[in-house]
Amino acid sequence: MEGSAIAQFVPLILIFAIMYFLLIRPQQKKMKEHQKMVENLVRGDVVITQGGLIGKVTKVKENNELDVEVSEGVKVRVVRNTIAQVVSKTEPAKT
């Protein structure tokens, strides 16, 4: 009787393990990579926002915001987490 009760839970445990390795774990890894990318943004990086705007970072502010120049003389203020991709990375200045 105990063996049949345990046997009923084995498929549920297997389904959870499969979901963890196929869905949850890769998503957590992707989120960590995105957070690292956002933290390492510097002035001069060319970025794409989640809204599809492409621009150059002109100023990195302390309160989780960036100034992004989307055209000559047109700057927009965006939240760091809305950056979807860094197109070209600026090399750090050598001292």
Side-chain angles (χ1 to χ4, degrees):
M1 197 127 177
E2 276 186 40
S4 65
I6 293 173
Q8 289 178 350
F9 287 110
V10 170
L12 289 173
I13 293 169
L14 286 174
I15 289 171
F16 180 75
I18 290 170
M19 286 187 64
Y20 176 77
F21 285 109
L22 292 179
L23 298 174
I24 298 169
R25 191 165 172 233
Q27 185 65 26
Q28 287 176 340
K29 186 177 178 182
K30 189 175 180 180
M31 285 176 54
K32 284 181 184 178
E33 288 173 0
H34 182 263
Q35 189 64 34
K36 185 177 177 183
M37 176 200 65
V38 167
E39 288 174 359
N40 293 327
L41 287 172
V42 293
R43 186 173 169 237
D45 289 348
V46 177
V47 296
I48 300 175
T49 66
Q50 289 178 355
L53 292 175
I54 300 173
K56 183 182 281 191
V57 177
T58 58
K59 188 173 185 181
V60 179
K61 297 183 178 183
E62 295 175 7
N63 54 351
N64 213 20
E65 294 178 357
L66 304 167
D67 280 345
V68 178
E69 186 174 33
V70 293
S71 183
E72 190 73 31
V74 179
K75 295 180 183 178
V76 293
R77 197 169 76 186
V78 297
V79 177
R80 279 184 186 245
N81 288 333
T82 62
I83 302 298
Q85 182 180 356
V86 176
V87 178
S88 66
K89 190 82 176 141
T90 304
E91 294 297 320
K94 295 181 181 179
T95 57

